[in-house]
Amino acid sequence: KRYEANVNAWLLQKNEDSLLACFTHRPSSYGWQGEHVGKWIAAATLAWANSRNVRLREKLDVVVKTLLRTQLPDGYLGTYQNNFHWAMGKELNWDVWVHKYNLLGLITYARYTGDQQALDAAKGIADLLNRTFGAGGKLSLNKRSTFRGLASGSVLEPIVLLYRVTNDVRYLQFALYIVDQWEQPEGSHIITSLTKGAAVNTIGSGKAYEMLSCLNGLCELFRATADQRFLTPVLKAWTDIVENQ
């Protein structure tokens, strides 16, 4: 009953114009407004994959197609005006965070529907992020972020998922670069601190939501590489939460 209520009373009732307004009429009203459409696409796709609800699929297709029409030629799919991409002013430091949720939504949609356009859009986002923040890029993920790098660093999860979908090694290399950046002087030191037994509320700014997103990314990276150093900090965090938090 709860599952059906989620589909019928929430996912189907969500107004697509309100979800998409910050993309179709940039800029957004507030910095992280763009996160909602990606979250909705991911959730609605998983619900449709289980229910095969025709109305939900129709709504999904409309939302995704409308969102993709707002993607810029360089791959940008955020909510800020052209001169303010990746900026750090008031309400302007959520660009990577918003792209993370668009990636999660589009990859999930492409995986379950086979839609190539959505996958291509996700690749366009990832390629732009790699050019901007990857090895040799001009900007730092740690600095173009809220919560001492935790927000932008959490883009790790969809980058690994994209690697697993495409088998393009460039995305794995970018993922490894992201976790390397966590350990730079201005980074949040998620891996080394947790591995040494630090409490979760001392990592970065201590913001649980953003840090959990980073831990999700480490789980995916462990699945992709079988490298224990990516799983150990997650298990340490779990133990600390259960026993001490």
Side-chain angles (χ1 to χ4, degrees):
K1 289 181 179 178
R2 290 183 179 182
Y3 172 78
E4 291 175 354
N6 181 57
V7 171
N8 295 312
W10 176 243
L11 293 172
L12 278 171
Q13 300 305 318
K14 186 64 178 175
N15 184 283
E16 53 259 43
D17 290 336
S18 69
L19 278 173
L20 293 160
C22 54
F23 294 94
T24 57
H25 299 87
R26 295 180 174 105
S28 55
S29 300
Y30 54 92
W32 63 92
Q33 186 178 10
E35 71 177 35
H36 301 302
V37 69
K39 291 179 175 181
W40 185 91
I41 292 170
T45 299
L46 293 175
W48 171 78
N50 284 287
S51 67
R52 299 293 165 168
N53 184 295
V54 174
R55 289 176 56 217
L56 186 58
R57 176 60 190 269
E58 291 174 349
K59 191 179 186 75
L60 253 173
D61 292 345
V62 169
V63 170
V64 170
K65 289 177 182 178
T66 304
L67 177 66
L68 295 189
R69 284 198 294 269
T70 72
Q71 187 171 30
L72 301 185
D74 68 351
Y76 182 84
L77 195 54
T79 64
Y80 301 152
Q81 291 175 314
N82 288 342
N83 293 334
F84 294 95
H85 296 178
W86 326 117
M88 281 301 292
K90 181 177 173 59
E91 296 289 358
L92 289 173
N93 46 12
W94 291 96
D95 233 355
V96 178
W97 178 259
V98 168
H99 280 81
K100 176 192 83 168
Y101 280 109
N102 278 334
L103 279 171
L104 285 171
L106 293 174
I107 292 168
T108 305
Y109 178 82
R111 177 184 175 190
Y112 285 95
T113 67
D115 189 277
Q116 186 62 44
Q117 188 178 7
L119 183 60
D120 288 343
K123 290 162 64 176
I125 292 172
D127 292 344
L128 174 62
L129 290 172
N130 198 3
R131 291 195 305 270
T132 305
F133 298 100
K138 297 180 180 179
L139 301 179
S140 165
L141 274 174
N142 293 318
K143 295 180 179 179
R144 291 302 193 274
S145 177
T146 56
F147 302 108
R148 290 180 58 186
L150 292 179
S152 292
S154 70
V155 76
L156 172 67
E157 180 183 3
I159 294 298
V160 179
L161 292 176
L162 188 60
Y163 163 68
R164 292 172 64 188
V165 169
T166 64
N167 290 317
D168 189 331
V169 71
R170 293 179 304 136
Y171 301 130
L172 177 60
Q173 292 170 342
F174 184 35
L176 294 171
Y177 180 82
I178 291 171
V179 296
D180 178 69
Q181 291 304 292
W182 290 356
E183 304 304 323
Q184 297 306 307
E186 72 277 12
S188 52
H189 304 281
I190 298 174
I191 294 176
T192 54
S193 296
L194 287 173
T195 300
K196 292 177 181 177
V200 291
N201 58 346
T202 65
I203 305 301
S205 65
K207 183 69 161 42
Y209 183 29
E210 279 74 3
M211 183 170 58
L212 181 59
S213 296
C214 292
L215 296 180
N216 286 341
L218 283 177
C219 288
E220 295 300 342
L221 190 55
F222 171 72
R223 291 186 178 108
T225 64
D227 190 330
Q228 190 69 30
R229 68 190 173 104
F230 301 132
L231 181 61
T232 297
V234 179
L235 299 178
K236 294 270 191 175
W238 168 262
T239 301
D240 178 51
I241 291 167
V242 172
E243 295 183 354
N244 304 315
Q245 304 293 338

